[in-house]
Amino acid sequence: MDTSLELPGVARLMTGPGGLPRYEITTPLAQAQIFLHGAHVARFTPAGQAPLLFLSEKSWFDPAKPIRGGVPVIFPWFGPRQGHPDAPAHGFARLRSWTPESLVQEPDGAVVLTLRLEPDDASRALWGEPADWVLRHRITVAATLTMELEIENRGNAPLRCEEALHTYFHVGDVRQIAVHGLEGAEYYDKADGMRRKRQDGEPIRFTAETDRTYIDTAGACVIDDPALRRRILVEKENSSSTIVWNPWIAKARSMPDFGDDEWPGMVCVETGNVADNALEIAPGARHLTRTVLRTEPR
Ligand code: TA6
């Protein structure tokens, strides 16, 4: 394990569960754990607060499987790959070991880790296109968590893909929360045959399995969590899709890497460009999706 990129006393590359290398970041502002596997932010806890992210007690830590919780990086397709039933759900980026490219601490104490992923034989076999691309995931650990997913098209043909930061948030009780910011937006309802619907003027509340891909929506979301007496702000740039998910009882039971009783403590509010908002990146161009996660007292 190349430990050349470390910050003594601040950011160390350790061997985590399943033998997976993991950065452990400790600053006065926040603590975080980031796996090279999938460039996966698994934990983020602002100083003096409850964890911001949900991580399942049952998660796998296996090079061949995704970590359950935190922030899976989804690329180059979202969900099942159309026409390829054997392809891994949500693409392959979250299943690859990414390469540390830079690690710096800024004057304000923020720690910035950049991880890189490039094509290899396995990804070419999976995706099939002779695409040439580079992904960079730039993660800033401070009192807020900033994640920037950059896709660079190094090929000479347009690069068509979907991408998302599939964030699992820790909440006190999903039955009490409300998600604001998607009022009036159209969405595909995966819990109802992918029917296309429109969110009314009310925030989202959770009374059953909820799995919605909101499209053509560029605004921030707010998760209002009375049980933890906080609001979580999910700000974003260059993202036209927001996906909202809670598995509820039956789906939770069906997932071996998700505890049967964990569903009340989480909600996914995901930032990306999927479905109608899939990307087409011109040769030589880059696309950068940014999300900033912060909390405020309720
Ligand atoms: O983002 C919502 C979703 O697409 C759900 O349908 C559910 O499948 C979830 O992602 C988790 O997917 P995964 O492949 O990580 O089990």
Side-chain angles (χ1 to χ4, degrees):
M1 183 161 63
D2 175 4
T3 58
S4 60
L5 278 181
E6 289 192 325
L7 295 170
V10 176
R12 292 191 59 198
L13 188 55
M14 316 283 283
T15 300
L20 298 178
R22 172 175 78 182
Y23 271 99
E24 303 201 1
I25 296 171
T26 302
T27 81
L29 301 168
Q31 296 190 340
Q33 290 181 346
I34 303 170
F35 286 83
L36 301 190
H37 179 59
H40 199 122
V41 181
R43 295 186 191 278
F44 173 73
T45 304
Q49 290 203 36
L52 185 62
L53 305 179
F54 163 85
L55 182 67
S56 173
E57 293 288 325
K58 301 269 189 178
S59 178
W60 291 306
F61 293 98
D62 178 327
K65 295 179 178 173
I67 294 168
R68 176 68 68 189
V71 187
V73 175
I74 310 301
F75 174 88
W77 57 82
F78 185 90
R81 188 183 180 202
Q82 304 306 328
H84 298 263
D86 298 334
H90 286 326
F92 51 74
R94 65 178 182 169
L95 300 173
R96 322 293 303 161
S97 186
W98 292 48
T99 303
E101 183 171 85
S102 69
L103 174 65
V104 298
Q105 184 162 34
E106 295 180 341
D108 66 1
V111 172
V112 187
L113 172 65
T114 301
L115 298 168
R116 188 183 72 250
L117 184 69
E118 299 186 77
D120 60 15
D121 291 344
S123 66
R124 288 190 191 95
L126 271 172
W127 198 9
E129 299 193 4
D132 187 4
W133 46 267
V134 178
L135 253 56
R136 286 184 176 83
H137 191 16
R138 185 170 184 265
I139 304 151
T140 303
V141 174
T144 59
L145 175 64
T146 300
M147 294 177 284
E148 299 169 297
L149 183 62
E150 179 189 83
I151 306 168
E152 177 187 352
N153 181 0
R154 284 190 317 196
N156 52 24
L159 184 67
R160 296 177 185 85
C161 63
E162 296 176 300
E163 49 99 32
L165 295 166
H166 189 301
T167 310
Y168 287 71
F169 291 96
H170 166 53
V171 297
D173 184 345
V174 74
R175 293 162 291 198
Q176 297 179 35
I177 70 170
V179 174
H180 300 260
L182 293 163
E183 293 80 358
E186 289 198 83
Y187 64 93
Y188 293 105
D189 188 348
K190 187 171 176 185
D192 185 14
M194 292 306 274
R195 285 180 175 75
R196 187 164 172 148
K197 302 178 179 177
R198 182 181 294 277
Q199 183 67 29
D200 58 21
E202 294 299 314
I204 303 166
R205 293 190 183 279
F206 299 80
T207 57
E209 179 183 353
T210 305
D211 194 344
R212 303 176 184 177
T213 298
Y214 289 84
I215 54 171
D216 302 329
T217 176
C221 287
V222 177
I223 303 168
D224 187 23
D225 182 351
L228 291 183
R229 293 193 302 278
R230 71 179 179 189
R231 276 188 280 273
I232 299 173
L233 281 65
V234 184
E235 298 167 334
K236 65 175 190 176
E237 292 171 40
N238 306 325
S239 157
S240 299
S241 314
T242 296
I243 302 97
V244 177
W245 179 54
N246 181 278
W248 215 251
I249 301 164
K251 177 104 188 229
R253 282 211 187 101
S254 74
M255 295 185 286
D257 61 333
F258 192 100
D260 292 356
D261 59 354
E262 289 186 318
W263 60 271
M266 56 74 65
V267 67
C268 285
V269 177
E270 307 157 32
T271 296
N273 292 284
V274 305
D276 305 32
N277 304 133
L279 298 175
E280 179 167 309
I281 304 170
R286 299 176 188 216
H287 180 277
L288 188 145
T289 296
R290 174 181 294 115
T291 189
V292 181
L293 312 180
R294 68 181 82 240
T295 63
E296 62 181 29
R298 192 174 186 274

